[in-house]
Every structure is written in structure tokens, then in C-alpha cells.
Amino acid sequence: MKWALISAGLCACVCVLGSRVQAQGTPPLPNNGGAEGASDIGKTANMGRMMDKQTGSLRFYGKVVMAGGKLPWDPIPVAVTCGEKTRYNTFTDPKGGFDIVAGSRNSEVVTTAHDTHRITPSDLIGCQVNAVLDGFIGNPLMIANRSFEDDPSLGTILLHRDEHAVGSVQSATTASAPPEALKEFDKARADDMGRHADSARKHLQKAVSLDPQMAEAWYHLGKLEESDKPQDALDAYKKAASADANFVPTYERIAAISANQQKWQDVVVATNHALKLVPAGTPQIWYFNAVGNLNAGDKAAAETSAETSLAMDPNHVAPNTEQLLAVILSSRGEYRKALDHLRHCLTYTPPGPNAELMKQQVAQLEKVVGQ
């Protein structure tokens, strides 16, 4: 009974916090005075290298470009894969630049000095770096054997459309939209990148009034509404999905809001549809699929999805996956494994209520397993 209370508290924490991940695939961008100043890649590379040298870490950087088109509005995921295993994941800035930092200092990889899962520079030598974008294929880059004196630039990843892909981060409805709607859409993007949300919202509203079938405009309108008007955002996402059922990004957002509303079957339906379009999925889609299935009563499916998310997410883009896995393990009495996952969670969970709750749960589980 005592552990049942712990598990219930864990599940409540995971479900509420997890549903607020919204779309870690589209993380907040740094505010450095607008889109033009959002990236310092290349400008301070030498200073960055000197800092890395002093702290025993190594920095790589590169860029992602689209063949014959503009970059997507959302940041592009970039993964470092060693063999079949993802060892590092990050995102591009508005100009397509990305950073990879490995070493002993705190970073996306090294979250604390006590994180035994941390990545060292030598771990990444010989690994491939590629953009992971639904509907597109990129040319992978290789991290060669380097010293601190080498040029940290990896080069450029060129993305081109995958003609065999069903789902995509770009909608065919955008290409077919009338010029007036496209003009409003482009204005909205510029305003959003410049942190002018109200103006961006107005341009998107004008775009969908000119073309109600413009899925990407509905999607980005939903993003702007999500924090203050989640139901309006959900309605916008559903209109995007109705306009283009193969437009993948909208399903993660539908799943996030549905999870927050505890509409678990809706979460399962949205994530299952996304996985039919792109079977590889993303850490976020697999995470929400796990949350939905767990609360819908399918623990086996939830465990598989949680493990899949965790395996492709070494930097914890979906931050509550391991905590969720601990809930699943504890529900069938595997307390020691659950404890191991919770302890590791604490190595990368920032200070706050969730971390404090986990500390309490770790203490109680240590009593249960006798350590």
C-alpha cells in the first residue's frame, strides 16, 4: 500500500509534467535580439574552443540547409549516432546552425559531474551526425579523430525531400496556397522569429482566412495560442490535421494537450497516427505514446514506447521518460530497476519541485529494496 502511494504520486507528476513538454522537438529559441542575432556560431568559435580547452571538453559545430527551399519554421533535430545507438541529440538555431559539446563540463551531454552516462569527446570519434527531419533525407557528417587544435567545424548537412516518405514536416497545402496567404504566412514567420507574437498571430489568422486549408498556418497559429488558450490551440491543430493528414508535427501537439486534459485515448490515437506516418518516431512521440498507453491500461505497450523514447533521447529532450519507466517497473514490483532509473533522473533533472519529489521517492524506494 505504501508503494502504491509512491507510484501514484510518481504517475501524477509524470503525466502532468510530461503533458507540458508541448513539443520539445521545438524548444524555445535563444532571445538575442531577433532571428538575425539568434546564432553566434562561427562568430565566437575561437573563444568557445579556448573555453572548451580549459575545461577539458570539445565542441563541434555545423549547419543544416535545405536543398531548393527554406528551412522549416521549427528547429531541426540533429542526432549523433555511434553504430546503431544515439549518443547525443540537439537542435538547430533559426539559421540552421547547431552545436555539439562533449566533455567534463556541464552541457547538454554532461548535466552533472555525477552523471555516469556522460559522453566524453573520445566517445564521439567515428560517429555520424545527421539531421532527423520527417520527410527529408540528409547527408551524414563524420566526427573524425580530432585534437583541441583542430577546426571544430563539421561542415554542412544538406537535406533533400524523401520521395518515398508518407509523413512530412512540410505540408503540400503550403505549396498550393494562394500568393496572398503565403505572403501573410511569411510575415508571420518573420514576426515570430523576432518575438512579435501578437503580430505573428494576426498574420496567421489572415493566412487561414485566405486559405482555410493551409495546414502549416493552422499549426503555427496553434503554437501561439497554446500557452494561454489550449483549447483554441487544440482546435487549430485539429484543423491542420484535417487539412493535411500527412503533416506530422501537429500530432505531437494534439497528444500534448490531450495528455494535459487526461484524454488518454486521444493521446494514443494521435501518437499512433504519427507513428504510422513515420515509424521511426521521435523521443516526444514515443514518450506521449507511453503516457497514453499507460493511462489507458496497456502497460506492455507503454513500457516498449518508453524504452524506445529513452534509447533515442540521450539528452532527455522528453525529460520525464525515465521517470515514467520507473512507474511502469514499480507497478510490477521491479523496485530496484525503478530506483536505478529515478537515481539517474536526478542527475539531469533541474532543481525544483519535481526533483524534490523524486528525492523523496528515491528515499522511500531505498527502504523498500533495503539500501
Side-chain angles (χ1 to χ4, degrees), residues 201-245:
R201 184 181 293 106
K202 291 178 181 177
H203 286 301
L204 288 171
Q205 290 170 340
K206 183 68 179 295
V208 296
S209 69
L210 291 167
D211 183 4
Q213 295 303 306
M214 195 174 183
E216 289 188 62
W218 280 118
Y219 166 72
H220 288 288
L221 182 59
K223 286 173 59 183
L224 290 174
E225 301 286 11
E226 194 165 326
S227 60
D228 297 326
K229 300 177 181 179
Q231 189 56 50
D232 288 352
L234 183 60
D235 292 342
Y237 296 144
K238 288 182 176 179
K239 288 178 180 177
S242 178
D244 185 354

Side-chain angles (χ1 to χ4, degrees), residues 79-83 124 126-130 140-143:
V80 179
T81 305
C82 307
L124 299 183
C127 297
Q128 289 191 336
V129 182
N130 208 348
L141 306 175
M142 182 73 72
I143 298 180

Side-chain angles (χ1 to χ4, degrees), residues 274-298:
L275 291 169
K276 285 181 180 179
L277 295 175
V278 184
T282 64
Q284 300 88 350
I285 284 293
W286 283 113
Y287 167 77
F288 284 120
N289 188 261
V291 170
N293 275 304
L294 177 62
N295 285 279
D298 192 341

Side-chain angles (χ1 to χ4, degrees), residues 108-308:
E108 291 100 326
V109 167
V110 191
T111 48
T112 74
H114 303 291
D115 186 355
T116 58
H117 294 66
R118 67 188 180 93
I119 301 297
T120 63
S122 61
D123 291 327
L124 299 183
I125 301 302
C127 297
Q128 289 191 336
V129 182
N130 208 348
V132 185
L133 196 63
D134 297 334
F136 290 84
I137 298 175
N139 61 295
L141 306 175
M142 182 73 72
I143 298 180
N145 190 14
R146 294 171 181 269
S147 71
F148 291 115
E149 301 304 322
D150 289 334
D151 182 357
S153 175
L154 296 174
T156 299
I157 298 172
L158 177 64
L159 286 170
H160 60 273
R161 189 173 293 278
D162 181 358
E163 300 299 334
H164 301 290
V166 178
S168 177
V169 297
Q170 291 186 347
S171 172
T173 63
T174 303
S176 62
E180 296 82 1
L182 285 173
K183 186 180 294 185
E184 294 296 328
F185 184 75
D186 287 340
K187 289 180 180 178
R189 174 174 178 155
D191 283 341
D192 185 61
M193 294 294 185
R195 303 296 187 267
H196 305 300
D198 289 341
S199 180
R201 184 181 293 106
K202 291 178 181 177
H203 286 301
L204 288 171
Q205 290 170 340
K206 183 68 179 295
V208 296
S209 69
L210 291 167
D211 183 4
Q213 295 303 306
M214 195 174 183
E216 289 188 62
W218 280 118
Y219 166 72
H220 288 288
L221 182 59
K223 286 173 59 183
L224 290 174
E225 301 286 11
E226 194 165 326
S227 60
D228 297 326
K229 300 177 181 179
Q231 189 56 50
D232 288 352
L234 183 60
D235 292 342
Y237 296 144
K238 288 182 176 179
K239 288 178 180 177
S242 178
D244 185 354
N246 294 334
F247 180 52
V248 180
T250 191
Y251 297 105
E252 182 187 319
R253 297 289 195 166
I254 291 173
I257 296 178
S258 298
N260 214 24
Q261 296 175 345
Q262 299 186 16
K263 296 179 179 178
W264 306 118
Q265 195 56 42
D266 289 351
V267 176
V268 174
V269 169
T271 52
N272 281 348
H273 186 80
L275 291 169
K276 285 181 180 179
L277 295 175
V278 184
T282 64
Q284 300 88 350
I285 284 293
W286 283 113
Y287 167 77
F288 284 120
N289 188 261
V291 170
N293 275 304
L294 177 62
N295 285 279
D298 192 341
K299 292 182 181 179
E303 182 173 4
T304 298
S305 294
E307 289 178 341
T308 302

Side-chain angles (χ1 to χ4, degrees), residues 1-7 335 339 342 357-371:
M1 183 66 178
K2 185 175 182 180
W3 175 245
L5 293 175
I6 299 173
S7 182
Y335 303 136
L339 178 59
L342 285 178
L357 176 61
M358 271 193 284
K359 289 177 183 178
Q360 296 174 22
Q361 292 157 347
V362 165
Q364 293 182 51
L365 261 184
E366 286 175 340
K367 294 179 181 178
V368 172
V369 301
Q371 59 173 271

